[in-house]
Structures are given as C-alpha cells and as structure tokens.
Amino acid sequence: QETINLTIASSHPTVIPWVGMMKTHFMAKADELLAKTGNYKIEWNEAFGGQLYKANATLTSVEEGITDIGWVFSFLEPSKLPLSQASSYAPFATVNPPFQLEVMEDLMESNEALRHEWEQYNLKVLGLTSTDMYDIYTKTPLKGIDDVKGIKLSAPGVLGTWLRGTGANAVDGSLTSFYTDIQTGISDGVLSLALGALPAKLYEVAPYINRFDVGVAFSGAVAINKDSWDGLPEEVQTAMIEAGKYYTVAHGKDLLERHEAALNKMVELGTSQNPPVEIIKMSDEQRQAWVDKLPDIAGDWAADLEGKGLPAKAFLKAYMDGLRTKGEKPMRNWDE
Amino acid sequence: MALESDKTSASGTRNPPSSGIGRVWLVFVDALAALGTALIGVLMITICADIIARNMLGSSLPLVSELGALLLVMIVCLQLATTVRADRLARTEIFFIPFREGRPRAGALLSALFNLGGAAVIGGIASVSLSIFEKDYASGEFIGVTGIATLPTWPFRALILVGMTVTAIQFVVAMVGDLRDVIANRRST
Amino acid sequence: MSPVEIGSAAVVALLVLIYLGMPIGIGMLAVSFAGVAAIRGETVSLRMMGAVANDSLREYLFAVVPLFVLMGLLVTVSRVGKDTFDVFQKLLGRVTAGLGVATVFANAVFAAITGISIASATVFSRVAVPEMTRHGYTRKFATGVVAGSSVLGMLIPPSLLMIAYAVLAEESVGRMFLAGVGPGILIAAAFCVTIMLLARFRKDFVFEDGEDSAELGDMSIAEIARKSAPIVSLMLVVLGGLYGGFLNPTEAGAAGAFGALVIALMRRSLDRRLFWNLLVEAGQITVSVLFLILAATFFSRMLALSGVPRALAQVFLTGPIGPYGFLLVYLLLITALGCLIDSISIMLILLPIALPIANAAGFDLIWFGVLTVVTVEVGLLTPPFGLSVYVIKSAMDEPDLRVGEIFRGALPFVLAMFVSIALIVAFPPIATWLARL
Ligand code: NA
Ligand code: NA
C-alpha cells in the first residue's frame, strides 16, 4: 500500500456546510473508493478555516500549490473567473440548486470557454458549489418589493446589482459584517441566504424574513492543483473524479433540504425574541414585480465582457438554455 | 509636547550619507514614507466622507471598504523602509543590547547577519510581488463590482512591489553599515 | 524529517532567533519560509510568503489601527490626555497609587470605544506613562499598568477577539459582546486590588523613592468640567456613533481621529509641521504593529501546514483526563502559545480542535469563549512575544526602555488575570449571566 500526502484547505470554516462536506463527503468518498483495492491510502493534511489563506486568495492558493486541494470561491474572483459570474447577474432564473449544479457541470465539460477559464489557472475542477436561495431580512416587515425604496440594504459584493432599480441603497458588506451593520444601523436589512443568516444570527437583528426566493447562484468549485493532479496515480485520479461528482450531487441536495430547515430553525430560535422571527412569503406577483424593476443587468454584464473579447453572450444563452432544458421556468429570460 | 520628529524623519542612520547617491537614496526613501504618511490622512478623509454620504445622502460611497483595506497595505509597505532605517521593528533586547555593548565587533557582525536575513526575506517577498503585479496587470484584476464601480489593483500592487524592493535594499544598506563597524572596530583594536 | 518535526524545529529556531535579538517579524518570516520550504518546497514557500505580504493585511478592519493610533496621538498633543489624567488624579487623589488605579479606570472606559488592545496600549503609553513617571512612579510599574489594563480593550465590547470566537463557535456576536462585560469589570477590579497591594507591600516596585509624590492640586468643579469636555465629546462621537447606529469600528476610528483633529485645532495645539509629524509617527507605529501581524500570519500558516498544533492537541487532549483536566490543559496550551504567536492566530489554530471537545464535555460555549479570550489575552503580556508590550515599547520610543522592564512590570497583572480566570472557571455566571439574560 502506497501512502499519498495531500493538503486540503479552505478559507471558510467547516461549519459552512459545503466546506464541512469536503470532509464528510469528498474526502470520505475518495477514501472509501481507494479502500476497495487497498493499493493507495491518502494521508490528508487538513487546513480548513483560513489556516493557510483567506477568502481573498482562494484561487491563487490552489493555482500556486499552497494547498493541493481547496475550495475556490468564484464569487470573489470576478476578474479572473468572469464567465463563472453569469448566475450572479441572472436572478430569478432558478431556485433549484441541484439543477443549477447539473447545468454548470455539463457546461464545465462541454463549454470550451468556461473550462479554459478555470484550467488556465493550473487547476482541475473536481466538484462544484452553489448557494441556497436569497431573501431579504429586515428590521420592519415588507409588503412587497416597493417597500425597499429608500432603505439601506446590505448585500455581499456583486449581489448589490440585484437591488438596482428597486430604489434600495445597496451597502457593501460580508456575512461577518452584516450583524453589526444592521445592529448599528449602517443598514436596515440584508439580502442574504438562510444558510448564512442562521449561523450569523442575522434573525436576531433583522427578524422579518421576506421570502422572495430570489434564486441561487453558482459560488465556486473544489479544485486540485494541476501539478499535484499530474503526480497522482490513475486509480487515485479516478477516485477523485468520482468523489467530486458525488460531492456535487450531495451538496445540491443538501442545499435544498438545509434551506427549508434553516428557515424553520430561525423561526424556532426566534420565537421568544421581541419581535419574534416571522417569515413573510412573497407572492409570485411580488417576485415578478422585482424582476421587472431590474435593468438588463445580465445584458450589461455580457456586453462588458464581450468588449474584453469573451463570449459572454453565448455563455449566458448556454446557461439559460441548460436551465430551460431541465424544465426550469426562469422569471426573466436574461439571454433575450 | 516635543515629538520624535527628527528621530523618525532622517535619524536611525548611523552612517550619514557622504556621497551624492546616498543623499538621493535618503530623499527617495523619505518621499515614499511621506506618500504612505499622507495616505493615513486620505484614509481618514475617505471614511469620514463615506459616513457623511451615508447619513446625509442615504447611500454609501462605492469601493470604500475595499479601497480602505488596500490603502492600509500601502501605508505599511511604503513606510517599511523608514521603519527599518529607524530600527523600530520589534525585537527582544535581553541578549542583543548587552552583547553589542560588551563585544562591539561581534555585535556588529550579528547585526549584519540579522540585516542579511531581513534583506533575504523581504527581497523574496519583492520578487514574488513582481509576479503578482504582472498577473494582476495582465488579467485586469479589479476591486469593486462590475456594473457599479471598479478600480484596477495593479497600481496598488506596483506600490507594494516598490515598497518591498526599497525595504530590501534598505536592509542591505544597514548591513553594509554594520560591516563598516566591524572593520572600523578592528582598526581601533 | 516529518512535517511535525520540521514545525517543531522551526519553533525552536524562532525562539533562539528572538532571544538573540533578531527583529521578531523578520525572524518569523525567515523560519516560516524555511519550514514551508522543507515541507512543500521552496517555490511554494516563496509564493506563500508573497501572498501573505500582499493580501493578509488587506482587511478593512485593520484600518482601525492607524486611525485609532492617530486619534491617540492627536489627543496626546492637544493636552486632552493630560487633562483627563488631571481629572482622574483629582477624583482618585486620596486613593493609594491613585494614578495607577486611574489608568485602569481610564482603560476600562476607553475599551468601550476600541476593539483592539493595541490601541489602548498605544494611547495610554503616551498619556498615562509620562504622567505617572512625572509623579514619581517607576517606569516599570507605569508601563506594566498600561500593558496590563490594555487587555480590557478586547474584553469590554466591542472586541475583535469576541467577533472571531463568535464566528468560529457559531455563537451570537451580540451575546459574546455582553459576555465580556462581567469579566471585564472583574479584571479591572482585580487590577485595582493588585495595584493597592503593590503600593502597600512592594513600595519600591511602584514608586521611585518609595513614596507617592503625587501632590493634590486644587481643582474646581468648573475646572473639572472644562478639562473633561473634550474627552467626553470625543467619546460621544465614537461611542454614540457605535451604539447609536451610525458607525462600524473602522468608521468610529476615522470619526474619532477627525474629532480629535478638530479638538486639537480648536485648542491651537497643532501647526502644520506638528500634524505632519503626528502622521509620520502614526505611520511608524502602524507599520511595526501590522508588520508583526503579517509575519505572525505566515508563521501560523507554516504551523498549520506542519501539523504541530494538531500533534500537540493529540498528545495533550486524548487520554482519561476528564473535562476539567482538558480545560486546564487547553488553557495552559493557550498560555504557552501566547508566548509565541498573536491572539487571533492562536484561536484560529486551537478552536477547531478544542470546540468539539468542549461541546462533548457539555461546557457552555459562551463561558468557554470568554475563558478562551481572557487566556489568549494573557499572551499579550508574556515574553518573548507580547504584543501589548511591544506596542508600548514602539509607542514610547525611549531607546533606554527595555522590553524586559515592561514585561516585569506587567507580571503582577498577569497573575491577577490568572486569579480572575480561576474565578470565572469557578463561577461561570460572571461571564454568562448578562449574555443569557
Ligand atoms: Na473594547
Ligand atoms: Na506573549
């Protein structure tokens, strides 16, 4: 039996579900597959939770071999991974993470531009990650999207674009700053997802969960450094690919289930606080009202990238087509 | 209250420059530090402007938090060389100070070794910073959000590169000064 | 050599280099580079060091450092610091070693406007130490009091360490903040008791001539009001901004610095040249502190790669030692690491291992977090790497002041902190009562 040393790392802690699943699903599956023949055993050196690098260096750290395997947070790499941002500029396109992950997985294989976008950074993509659904958490209840006019809403980076045309003032922030931002009045609420809002306890300061189901966004990939990859025996490579696929599927399913569970948990935890946590379900008319208010953010984004010589229009169309083929009905066809 | 003005601006140097190049170098290092120093004021004003914009106009200025983070890195890199020259990097003195007082030659040699170490690691950082700068420049790396406001990162990377390079050279200068002390002490003994 | 052996060798090498007097930041970078190079090759090591230098300080939160430093400097030149001290001296004039006690009080109040201890250490080394030495206190005691009471900065809310713990332990930031209040008051009280005991039984430790030479000047109520007005208004800007809902910590720093500038201008204690010198000074302090943090970041990443923290944890934590045995070992481990590396890095390395065990042991995680933070803060005061002590050394800029002198002065306060930790272990409600209210 040959022992292979691999470092696996992340900028975020294992309490983040898809980081934790790198251990419970990706690593476990790879170990399980390799144990069948017993030819190889991986000695994992775990460095989760920003021990080796922070969120601002997830791509370069895998690229340069600071870690062998790591979660690349594509959200924070708009200039290096421009096409991977498509879903962030196409809200209300799908609320189904497993479908979105399948579409992106297909594109990663069939779309030359997307694959090149990742592989040019000396890495090989093994598994993909997405988000759960975004909603608006506020201090005071909303009746509809018109109510956000003039209020200050925190939003992480690029998602500030989802507030364009709504009249809300987007305040830039991150999951770690939202709690104090709202508590201190820097913002009146936040555009966030249930899986982030629950551990960050955002419901304590913004107890009204206005459920718009804005949609899910592609967030990144578990990737391995190409040099490390090339040094692996074929049997290990095969096991890694299979473990990555298994991870992607399990993660998509987990997002769907965990989203509902997280919403219920927040209501449960927040029953005794004043005011108690309340979920306000928005009608499809209200959701449509929001998506209609938005300027052509996907078109602007694609035009900007086309100007830099990237086939963003074709990619956007391929992404939307992929969703529609899966039977999804986007509330706005961003590619038209 | 008298401040350490003269101490921080041009002091620290044990060997005042005699040559023209030495004087030019001194002015250059001080100019970099001055830029870093001015950035503290810029940082304060930018953030205060953001506070006012948010509380009076209702919306925050774009890029402030990302720019603030980058400005901070600038402040550190641009002033590192003068900090080294002024010998204000934290160190323990349990051994070093008595040793240098008791055995000036060996002490100067030890100091030269420390400065060599400083030149090596900071020089290493500078060499990697060059490739980071090249990559950011080539890929058009930016901060901010496409469609709202963006700013390229390469000018900041360039300043980090300059700051680290100058600091590495400053360590070499300090090492040369130490070695001169070693020689001078041999003559005197 | 195995990675663990390499990491251990790097730790030993660092200790030697620091002892010999190599600049600590350079020493950390050098051994970390060598360590990573031995584990993962030179190329990776060099890239990792470059990444640390380029990106590890790129955090908006770190911008509070120069801003609060600048605020502290402005407050100092505009005599606001001196005035505040005069007031505290008057109020506590009849207390033994009143200026020492006043420093603790002032730090406890100042803690409510800063989330990092280095700001407290900077401000009070410039405000309180000159006042105390002028009044016949030893410099060892004066700097020791400032170093000791600076820990209140990250205990009384807001606190950078509490935020870090809350994120790692999935606890509420608001609750963690409240959990720091009780222990903060306890430690402030313990410090006051320590000072009074020292003044009574170890006079030579406290006073230069064995006597308190602080004379009681007369001060009218109006005088007190006039002298406190600037600091009170500054606190209104910063505190009111933070809790009234206008500012985050970095912004509070900027507003505070700007407010201090306005006060300095109004008092005509600032010309263009002096203001520039203040900015230069703020820059130098910022650089020496943040460069240390940068280097410590690389060091903790090297340790993480080597697996040393994990190996240590395995050696110490497995085996039949029981929950309180584990707690004791954990707190000792933090204290030991506190001698070497920075606060947040310690938490980053240890908590992922310790939290599941604490959870399994059935500990209240808020209480566990407070114990963690207080013990981590002991590391600010212990040699060879005690951040608060180095900040004071940096901020004072007196060439003949040795860090060893400050470490010795801080020792009684380290002991007081251990007593406080024991009290919090014995009486958990000190930490949890307010948080669970
Ligand atoms: Na505080
Ligand atoms: Na320490």
Side-chain angles (χ1 to χ4, degrees), chain C residues 34-267:
Chain C
V36 177
I39 297 168
R40 294 189 65 88
E42 253 172 65
T43 321
V44 166
S45 187
L46 196 59
R47 283 170 179 170
M48 204 158 159
M49 188 159 70
V52 167
N54 273 266
D55 291 322
S56 73
L57 293 180
R58 216 172 130 190
E59 299 278 336
Y60 192 44
L61 197 59
F62 284 143
V64 311
V65 177
L67 295 169
F68 271 123
V69 168
L70 180 60
M71 176 179 161
L73 294 175
L74 284 164
V75 168
T76 313
V77 290
S78 55
R79 300 183 311 277
V80 173
K82 190 181 167 302
D83 286 355
T84 311
F85 247 74
D86 290 348
V87 172
F88 269 111
Q89 188 187 359
K90 169 71 183 168
L91 293 177
L92 297 161
R94 304 206 179 274
V95 179
T96 326
L99 277 182
V101 177
T103 307
V104 177
F105 273 53
N107 258 289
V109 174
F110 190 77
I113 59 169
T114 175
I116 46 172
S117 290
I118 46 180
S120 308
T122 309
V123 169
F124 287 96
S125 59
R126 301 187 142 271
V127 171
V129 175
E131 289 299 295
M132 279 193 273
T133 46
R134 199 161 63 89
H135 285 107
Y137 290 68
T138 63
R139 200 167 56 176
K140 176 174 64 179
F141 173 78
T143 50
V145 173
V146 169
S149 46
S150 74
V151 307
L152 297 171
M154 281 197 287
L155 202 52
I156 291 169
S159 156
L160 190 58
L161 290 181
M162 290 292 187
I163 293 174
Y165 180 84
V167 170
L168 287 169
E170 294 186 90
E171 281 298 332
S172 149
V173 173
R175 286 223 175 101
M176 284 314 299
F177 275 3
L178 288 175
V181 175
I185 293 170
L186 171 70
I187 287 178
F191 283 175
C192 292
V193 171
T194 306
I195 291 168
M196 287 178 193
L197 289 176
L198 283 172
R200 172 159 302 179
F201 298 108
R202 291 287 309 276
K203 274 198 166 63
D204 59 318
F205 188 91
V206 182
F207 304 114
E208 209 62 75
D209 315 317
E211 282 302 322
D212 188 347
S213 79
E215 68 279 8
L216 297 174
D218 265 340
M219 206 190 279
S220 64
I221 301 285
E223 181 85 346
I224 290 179
R226 190 184 64 76
K227 288 197 166 193
S228 350
I231 189 85
V232 169
S233 50
L234 206 53
M235 282 180 170
L236 270 179
V237 169
V238 179
L239 269 177
L242 264 175
Y243 295 108
F246 304 104
L247 311 171
N248 67 27
T250 309
E251 293 168 343
F258 187 74
L261 176 62
V262 171
I263 290 171
L265 289 175
M266 277 167 55
R267 292 189 145 202

Side-chain angles (χ1 to χ4, degrees), chain A residues 87-156:
Chain A
S87 63
S88 303
Y89 291 90
F92 293 100
T94 175
V95 291
N96 190 320
F99 281 177
Q100 188 193 45
L101 287 169
E102 279 173 36
V103 170
M104 288 303 289
E105 210 170 18
D106 290 347
L107 288 171
M108 198 66 84
E109 271 168 29
S110 64
N111 189 291
E112 187 62 34
L114 181 68
R115 202 176 59 235
H116 173 73
E117 175 168 299
W118 283 79
E119 291 185 348
Q120 66 177 316
Y121 295 109
N122 192 37
L123 45 81
K124 168 149 184 70
V125 173
L126 296 170
L128 300 178
T129 62
S130 178
T131 66
D132 60 321
M133 278 172 279
Y134 282 86
D135 298 300
I136 297 181
Y137 295 65
T138 49
K139 284 179 180 168
T140 49
L142 303 179
K143 285 192 205 63
I145 193 61
D146 288 341
D147 287 359
V148 304
K149 193 159 192 256
I151 73 172
K152 293 173 284 183
L153 287 180
S154 290

Side-chain angles (χ1 to χ4, degrees), chain C residues 273-423:
Chain C
R273 168 128 190 92
L274 183 57
F275 181 52
W276 178 254
N277 288 342
L278 283 181
L279 283 173
V280 170
E281 183 65 11
Q284 298 257 302
I285 295 171
T286 305
V287 170
S288 57
V289 170
L290 290 181
F291 182 67
L292 211 54
I293 290 177
L294 183 159
T297 304
F298 191 27
F299 184 62
S300 72
R301 289 177 187 186
M302 184 275 292
L303 282 181
L305 263 185
S306 74
V308 164
R310 232 172 317 127
L312 273 180
Q314 255 165 16
V315 169
F316 284 112
L317 304 184
T318 52
I321 50 172
Y324 284 90
F326 153 71
L327 187 68
L328 181 67
V329 172
Y330 170 69
L331 295 181
L332 288 176
L333 201 57
I334 293 181
T335 313
L337 284 177
C339 294
L340 295 176
I341 47 183
D342 75 280
S343 313
I344 291 201
S345 297
I346 297 172
M347 291 173 60
L348 204 86
I349 291 167
L350 282 186
L351 279 175
I353 311 156
L355 274 171
I357 308 174
N359 216 355
F363 290 153
D364 181 326
L365 287 187
I366 286 184
W367 170 72
F368 188 71
V370 169
L371 285 173
T372 304
V373 168
V374 177
T375 316
V376 155
E377 292 207 291
V378 171
L380 294 170
L381 308 177
T382 52
F385 174 59
L387 190 54
S388 275
V389 171
Y390 285 104
V391 169
I392 290 169
K393 161 75 179 149
S394 249
M396 299 274 300
D397 195 34
E398 287 180 19
D400 66 322
L401 175 67
R402 303 278 159 83
V403 285
E405 194 177 341
I406 313 177
F407 277 124
R408 275 194 296 281
L411 183 64
F413 303 97
V414 171
L415 299 179
M417 284 178 82
F418 281 125
V419 172
S420 306
I421 290 168
L423 284 171

